[in-house]
Amino acid sequence: MVKKFLIFALVSCSVFSAAAQNRERGYKITNNDPDSAANAIVDAKLKAAFFNVYPGFAQADGYRTKRNVVLDFVTNETSTIKAKAGEIKVNSEWVKNKSQKKIEKELFSALAQNWVSYSKEKHKGYTLTFISKDPNLDPVVRKNLIKTYFEIYPTLVKTFNTKSTHDVLFVVDTAYKAVAEASGNRILFSAGYMKAHPTDIDVVTHETMHIVQGYGYSAGPVWLTEGIADYVRYKYGVDNVGSKWSLPAYTEKQSYKNSYRITARFFAWLEQNVKPGLIAVLDQQLRAHQYTEQSWSALTGKTVDQLWEDYGKAADKVTLTYSSK
């Protein structure tokens, strides 16, 4: 762990976007200074600092961080700048004659106070920035999430997509109520889920595979994307036994479109009984936006519905081995 400001500055370099781009992405600042016209130079510096700093904070911060921000000038609440999601307060005396660089530096520092902790680690060409907004995050869970990233992610990059980013951001958020989600190079973890399921470290395997997939929009059906991610968790996960995670047995009520583990078991069956390497090829097609429903027939000689029918007749003809520590 290093000083908060230094880490925040490093984060800003890796995830902050250009000011012009951020304006286009809907970030907005409202200056409540009644004398903003008279203080045009200060107003311009503050707005430029906002667009250079705040969007990166919001992107890294986590779940539904406000994009519309109110800027107020104060004299007693802070000696420099005080900031949080949706609100920035600037000491009207301090800001006079300050350079934009100085204002940005202080805004970095102020926004960093909203996080309980964050760190940046590098190993063999891969980087992980870890932000926690949970004061009760178990240090062991944090350590295991980081360890799993460095153990699994490089393997997934080398196996599926060598062009995938080597710089990933983890955020543990108390406001996020699902399990986890990946967006761009960021993975958002539910603090509540990790507290209830501290051994489920292979959520990292599933979510980092989403980063590796990098399909973009309209590349293919969601069931296929999620099925591949859970198949990869099954095949490459580091401790599925420890988290009591497994692929469910086949039933007639299931469909390959059920996604996640049900689809993943179907994929394991396909790999062992129909075409080894099939899932990797489908993954490549999805990333290249070349996937269609005809891909199944071209690769296996049968439609996905025919393959599912075959699976239903011989679903037990698959050997499943789960990782364990």
Side-chain angles (χ1 to χ4, degrees):
M1 183 74 67
V2 298
K3 291 183 179 180
K4 280 191 171 184
F5 171 72
L6 175 58
I7 288 293
F8 188 83
L10 290 172
V11 171
S12 72
C13 292
S14 62
V15 301
F16 284 17
S17 301
Q21 292 176 321
N22 290 323
R23 289 187 182 92
E24 295 174 359
R25 291 173 183 172
Y27 290 96
K28 180 181 178 181
I29 184 168
T30 301
N31 189 340
N32 283 341
D33 178 14
D35 298 321
S36 59
N39 300 323
I41 295 177
V42 170
D43 181 63
K45 289 179 181 178
L46 286 168
K47 286 183 177 178
F50 166 79
F51 285 116
N52 284 335
V53 177
Y54 186 85
F57 160 76
Q59 291 163 19
D61 184 52
Y63 188 59
R64 294 182 178 176
T65 298
K66 296 177 181 178
R67 291 192 169 206
N68 294 338
V69 179
V70 175
L71 171 65
D72 287 309
F73 283 85
V74 297
T75 56
N76 299 321
E77 291 184 51
T78 177
S79 59
T80 56
I81 296 178
K82 182 178 180 180
K84 62 181 182 180
E87 181 181 289
I88 297 174
K89 295 185 178 182
V90 178
N91 184 289
S92 56
E93 291 300 317
W94 173 86
V95 76
K96 291 180 180 179
N97 301 317
K98 291 295 186 298
S99 67
Q100 184 179 326
K101 184 177 180 180
K102 177 64 177 177
I103 294 171
E104 289 184 11
K105 180 179 179 180
E106 200 63 33
L107 184 55
F108 286 162
S109 181
L111 289 169
Q113 302 305 313
N114 292 277
W115 295 333
V116 174
S117 66
Y118 44 95
S119 62
K120 194 181 188 81
E121 298 184 29
K122 296 182 179 181
H123 184 65
K124 294 183 178 180
Y126 288 85
T127 301
L128 177 64
T129 300
F130 194 104
I131 295 170
S132 175
K133 299 176 71 178
D134 180 12
N136 300 312
L137 178 65
D138 187 338
V140 175
V141 171
R142 177 185 178 278
K143 178 181 177 181
N144 288 337
L145 292 175
I146 293 172
K147 183 178 180 181
T148 303
Y149 165 80
F150 284 111
E151 184 173 348
I152 278 298
Y153 186 65
T155 298
L156 300 185
V157 171
K158 293 174 184 177
T159 304
F160 295 97
N161 180 13
T162 56
K163 295 182 179 179
S164 185
T165 180
H166 285 206
D167 191 349
V168 173
L169 170 68
F170 282 8
V171 180
V172 178
D173 195 342
T174 54
Y176 181 64
K177 302 304 180 184
V179 177
E181 67 178 37
S183 177
N185 75 326
R186 185 196 72 183
I187 297 176
L188 188 62
F189 298 89
S190 164
Y193 179 83
M194 294 314 304
K195 182 178 181 180
H197 305 274
T199 62
D200 192 12
I201 57 174
D202 277 306
V203 67
V204 171
T205 307
H206 178 102
E207 296 301 335
T208 54
M209 182 56 191
H210 281 320
I211 294 177
V212 171
Q213 285 172 313
Y215 298 155
Y217 296 105
S218 303
V222 172
W223 65 262
L224 182 53
T225 299
E226 296 295 349
I228 289 175
D230 255 6
Y231 171 74
V232 166
R233 170 176 176 149
Y234 157 71
K235 187 172 181 180
Y236 295 92
V238 299
D239 192 16
N240 284 317
V241 172
S243 62
K244 298 179 180 180
W245 185 95
S246 62
L247 302 178
Y250 169 81
T251 70
E252 293 183 353
K253 294 182 179 180
Q254 293 174 350
S255 164
Y256 61 85
K257 293 183 179 180
N258 287 147
S259 193
Y260 295 100
R261 293 185 300 147
I262 289 174
T263 306
R265 191 183 191 279
F266 174 45
F267 288 171
W269 183 89
L270 289 171
E271 287 279 336
Q272 293 184 27
N273 296 280
V274 178
K275 186 178 179 65
L278 173 63
I279 305 309
V281 174
L282 290 172
D283 169 70
Q284 292 169 4
Q285 288 190 358
L286 286 162
R287 191 158 35 255
H289 289 209
Q290 295 172 349
Y291 169 83
T292 67
E293 290 186 4
Q294 287 68 48
S295 293
W296 297 94
S297 298
L299 293 170
T300 69
K302 293 186 177 183
T303 67
V304 66
D305 291 296
Q306 290 172 331
L307 291 167
W308 179 260
E309 184 178 351
D310 291 345
Y311 170 61
K313 294 175 181 178
D316 291 336
K317 192 179 178 182
V318 61
T319 301
L320 300 175
T321 304
Y322 297 97
S323 59
S324 174
K325 285 194 171 183

